[in-house]
Amino acid sequence: MGRYFGTDGIRGVVNETLTADLAYRAGAAAATVLAETRHKRPLIVIGRDTRISGDMLQAALTAGICSAGGDVIPLGVLPTPAIAYLTVQKKADLGIVISASHNPYEHNGIKMFNDSGYKVPDEIEARIEDLIDGIYPTAVKTHGEMGRVIDDEGRGADAYVEYLAGKAEGPISGLRVAVDCSNGAASATAAKLFSHFAIDFELLSDHPNGVNINDKCGSTHMQRLCDFVVSGGFDLGIAFDGDADRCLIVDETGREIDGDRIMAMCGSYLQARGRLRQNAIVATVMSNMGLHEFGRNSGIDILCANVGDRNVLAMMQEKGCSLGGEQSGHIIFLDDATTGDGQLAAVKILSIVAASGKKVSELVDVVPQYPQVLLNCPIAGGNEAKARIMADPALQKAIADEQETLGDSGRILVRPSGTEALIRVMVEAKSQQTAQTCAERLFNLIKLH
């Protein structure tokens, strides 16, 4: 990871580590790098989620970009994947998203997409970091060379919704659907999108106030949606995270369905139609052993990338696959989009359920679920502290000993979070108790550091 860019952009608590000054410098640096490489006045689109800090950071980024001679199209509150899509559609040189995804409201982030709608490569991020730190000067334009702000007038949001609706696999009708918008970016688009289909839908957590994003709602807090689906007799529930690049679902019985099972359902559908490229799904090392069992039973190869949608996408491109994602709900349909898109996944899921005539539970129960325990151990001291703990020989030996005890009937994954001050401990085993006990032993060892 770089000095500012982590695995998913520049992240931090606003006005502690992520300040208006840093945003200004990042905007000026990005515009300078674009002008250097493209030899023209840069055009940059900016979107954000619903956090209270979004206005301040957008203003600072815009000021930095314009000071360095770049033009800005502010797109307002929109999902992260909408910015990736609209960067291409508007022939912009760069797309910037102001969001901290599923994290609490006091956090925020700055994520960048290139002109093809993919995340900016590491070497460009490194160059931007050099300019942020003043190793090289950013451009300072005067007179008529300063940048300007161009009003989009909502056209981008409308174009994005039309694009999503057009990705349905067939007629979507006759379903009752509950949709949790996480008081985030989906609040701006979900009603417009689902109104395209002949379904009865009801929105939850769609009244953002700047501080309630991801607050006991959305894809990271699904109990309310689970209860709502059952009490309301819905066919399924759909939950997005704060920037709507993730999607998880709830079946008609109120069970939470993770990204592994969503990928299996979508993979089976595409396989039956000869559209599952390489006959493979790219998952991650966090994916449940049950997904691998499903793959063996279905003749689908399950490939494993490191955690992070950037890593999943890289492996999909390398292997030529069309479907991939994460247990957390990042689902990438590479024939349709350049990044994970929660609302695109929702359209695909609704298409499959409507076409099948089956209940969601029937479609996902082809994937067995092994008990899996995930514990998050808070770490003080930043990335250096996480790296030091992970390299500790005592921890490495403990992990090896625990894995030997589990044998082939379980697995352990201990890894530092790429976006938070945490080390994550994941254990799978044949019994919940075995997984829980093993995870707690490793958690307590890490906590001693």
Side-chain angles (χ1 to χ4, degrees), residues 41-160:
R41 186 187 193 92
L43 175 64
I44 298 174
V45 298
I46 298 180
R48 61 182 183 86
D49 67 21
T50 58
R51 292 164 210 270
I52 193 171
S53 58
D55 288 330
M56 179 189 79
L57 293 174
Q58 179 172 306
L61 276 163
T62 300
I65 292 165
C66 291
S67 74
D71 292 335
V72 174
I73 303 177
L75 297 171
V77 172
L78 280 178
T80 287
I83 307 308
Y85 172 77
L86 291 170
T87 300
V88 178
Q89 293 304 306
K90 291 186 175 295
K91 296 181 172 56
D93 300 294
L94 188 75
I96 297 179
V97 184
I98 304 168
S99 175
S101 189
H102 60 283
N103 288 341
Y105 82 91
E106 63 269 20
H107 295 253
N108 218 325
I110 299 170
K111 182 160 48 180
M112 300 182 183
F113 292 100
N114 67 17
D115 61 345
S116 298
Y118 294 101
K119 290 181 180 178
V120 168
D122 293 345
E123 59 270 20
I124 299 297
E125 289 183 346
R127 175 66 176 163
I128 290 173
E129 288 180 331
D130 285 346
L131 272 69
I132 290 174
D133 278 343
I135 296 174
Y136 304 99
T138 55
V140 179
K141 301 296 184 181
T142 62
H143 299 83
E145 292 186 340
M146 287 187 288
R148 60 196 180 107
V149 176
I150 304 167
D151 190 356
D152 175 65
E153 298 180 343
R155 290 188 293 270
D158 292 341
Y160 174 65

Side-chain angles (χ1 to χ4, degrees), residues 313-368:
L313 176 61
M315 182 172 284
M316 291 176 70
Q317 292 173 313
E318 176 190 348
K319 303 294 186 181
C321 299
S322 53
L323 178 64
E326 298 187 278
Q327 205 177 50
S328 60
H330 283 123
I331 312 295
I332 303 175
F333 296 88
L334 200 51
D335 288 340
D336 299 300
T338 59
T339 188
D341 188 327
Q343 289 178 113
L344 174 62
V347 169
K348 299 294 186 181
I349 291 163
L350 291 176
S351 298
I352 293 167
V353 175
S356 72
K358 295 181 179 180
K359 296 182 182 297
V360 173
S361 60
E362 296 177 80
L363 294 171
V364 301
D365 279 346
V366 296
V367 184

